[in-house]
């Protein structure tokens, strides 16, 4: 580590090191980490990021670290080994290491991707055939191995669970001490995502797509359509009597598979594949409701963004963001394994959207998840962990 930031009195301080294997401009985990790092820096905290690739940001040191990219099964493990080796060589050593990837040498693990063991369990519940294939997968075996090493690491002082669901999954699958699991949900700028986006974008976006102002529109935002539940969403949309449109914002390598499914279900032009968007706000402003019926979703920042914009949002029981949705209407949380459950929840959300009071009530539910609240709670956790670490180091020095 080549540089350390200085305190106002000129003394050096060790930076907090954030670790993430790679960067994607559309990745929810990457966007959240980038936001946290910048917010820490804005509060005059020393920050560094270790990754294979990361966009330059003023005042944040970038430390390049890469593992083997191929084969896929060894990718995460290779990066973890390379990162731990690189961290051990840093001089001065970082004050704390927070990893957003499974990493056996971190002080704090932010479980932004949830618990892989829980994800596999849900996949098996939904499909026995799918579950059999997962059991044979070398990739999933390696991910579980790395996850076990991370949670069993003697140096792991705290885990950030971004939802109550994830906290429960960690305790259930790894018997990790409850007092070291800290529930800190994702947060967003409530000023950036707001109900005024409807007046700003609705008419223009709908005119561009030749969609009437009164046509019901369901919005899906996410990449990796299978895990995010697009297939059951298409199936459910096809059964709704209100004949809504479904707008799909995001990317998937199997895009044509989902196009064919939409055509097979008779949806025709009622499903519009928008593609990935750097700014999703116009689409929130133009839609009536949002849906994220994921197979497994640790939180789903999309849920928070949509609800901050006043959109009733439908999620699966395996979406961590359900804790937010339930603040508005628990009936919008559904079990996607039940044939009619998703369609019923979508119909209820569309009914909500026709009420003039809904946007305010949905926004009110989301107001507890502001960015400042998340950052304040994260900083408080870091201060406590750092103080604990310093006490242990001082006690060890006295024993020498």
């Amino acid at each position: 580590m080549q540089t350390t930031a200085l305190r106002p009195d000129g003394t050096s301080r060790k930076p907090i090191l954030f670790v993430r294997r790679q960067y994607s401009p559309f990745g929810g985990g990457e966007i959240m980490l980038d936001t946290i790092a910048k917010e820490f820096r804005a509060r005059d905290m020393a920050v560094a990021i270790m990754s294979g690739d990361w966009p330059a940001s003023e005042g944040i040191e970038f430390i390049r670290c890469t593992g083997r990219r191929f084969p896929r099964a060894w990718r995460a493990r290779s990066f973890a080994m390379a990162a731990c080796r690189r961290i051990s060589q840093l001089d001065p050593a970082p004050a704390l290491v927070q990893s957003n990837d499974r990493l056996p040498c971190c002080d704090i693990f932010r479980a932004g991707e949830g618990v892989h063991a829980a994800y596999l369990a849900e996949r098996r519940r939904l499909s026995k055939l799918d579950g059999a294939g997962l059991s044979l997968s070398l990739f999933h075996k390696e991910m579980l191995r790395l996850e076990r090493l991370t949670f069993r690491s003697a140096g792991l002082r705290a885990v950030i669970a971004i939802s109550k669901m994830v906290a429960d999954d960690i305790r259930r699958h790894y018997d990790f001490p409850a007092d070291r699991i800290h529930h800190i949900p994702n947060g967003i700028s409530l000023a950036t995502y707001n109900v005024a986006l409807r007046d700003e974008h609705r008419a223009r976006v709908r005119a561009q797509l030749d969609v009437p102002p009164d046509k019901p529109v369901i919005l899906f935002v996410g990449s990796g359509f299978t895990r995010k539940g697009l297939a059951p969403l298409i199936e459910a949309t096809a059964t709704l009597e209100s004949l809504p449109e479904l707008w799909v914002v995001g990317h998937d390598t199997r895009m044509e598979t989902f196009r064919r499914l939409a055509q097979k279900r008779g949806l025709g032009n009622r499903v519009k594949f928008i593609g990935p968007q750097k700014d999703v706000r116009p689409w929130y402003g133009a839609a009536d409701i949002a849906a994220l019926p994921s197979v497994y979703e640790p939180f789903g920042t999309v849920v928070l963004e949509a609800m901050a914009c006043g959109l009733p949002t439908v999620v699966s029981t395996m979406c961590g963001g359900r804790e937010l949705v339930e603040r508005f209407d628990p009936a919008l949380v559904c079990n996607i394994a039940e044939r009619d459950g998703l369609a019923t929840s979508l119909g209820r959300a569309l009914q909500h959207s026709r009420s003039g009071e809904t946007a305010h009530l949905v926004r009110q539910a989301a107001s507890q998840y502001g960015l400042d609240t998340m950052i304040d709670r994260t900083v408080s956790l870091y201060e406590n962990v750092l103080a604990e670490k310093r006490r242990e180091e001082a006690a060890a020095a006295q024993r020498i």
Side-chain angles (χ1 to χ4, degrees), residues 61-194:
E61 181 184 0
F62 172 63
I63 303 171
R64 185 178 299 280
C65 179
T66 59
R68 291 172 54 187
R69 296 190 61 188
F70 301 102
R72 174 175 178 259
W74 301 96
R75 194 177 298 165
R77 179 182 176 186
S78 177
F79 174 76
M81 293 173 62
C84 288
R85 183 168 55 251
R86 186 70 190 279
I87 290 169
S88 70
Q89 297 168 347
L90 293 176
D91 185 19
L96 287 174
V97 177
Q98 181 209 282
S99 181
N100 282 43
D101 290 271
R102 295 160 185 88
L103 191 71
C105 60
C106 62
D107 299 294
I108 300 174
F109 173 46
R110 188 174 190 273
E113 295 179 349
V115 177
H116 200 71
Y119 163 66
L120 294 179
E122 183 63 10
R123 290 274 300 272
R124 294 187 187 99
R125 185 184 75 87
L126 294 175
S127 170
K128 292 183 179 179
L129 181 62
D130 195 18
L134 294 174
S135 299
L136 299 174
S137 167
L138 182 58
F139 168 76
H140 292 299
K141 288 180 179 179
E142 282 299 312
M143 289 298 292
L144 288 175
R145 178 180 177 277
L146 188 56
E147 190 166 81
R148 285 194 297 270
L149 288 173
T150 299
F151 283 116
R152 293 174 183 174
S153 169
L156 183 60
R157 299 170 180 274
V159 173
I160 297 175
I162 63 174
S163 66
K164 295 176 182 176
M165 182 189 79
V166 169
D168 291 340
D169 288 342
I170 294 170
R171 287 192 292 268
R172 180 169 62 254
H173 287 276
Y174 293 104
D175 195 27
F176 194 77
D179 61 348
R180 288 162 60 191
I181 300 174
H182 303 267
H183 174 220
I184 304 179
N186 287 350
I188 61 168
S189 168
L190 295 171
T192 301
Y193 297 91
N194 58 75

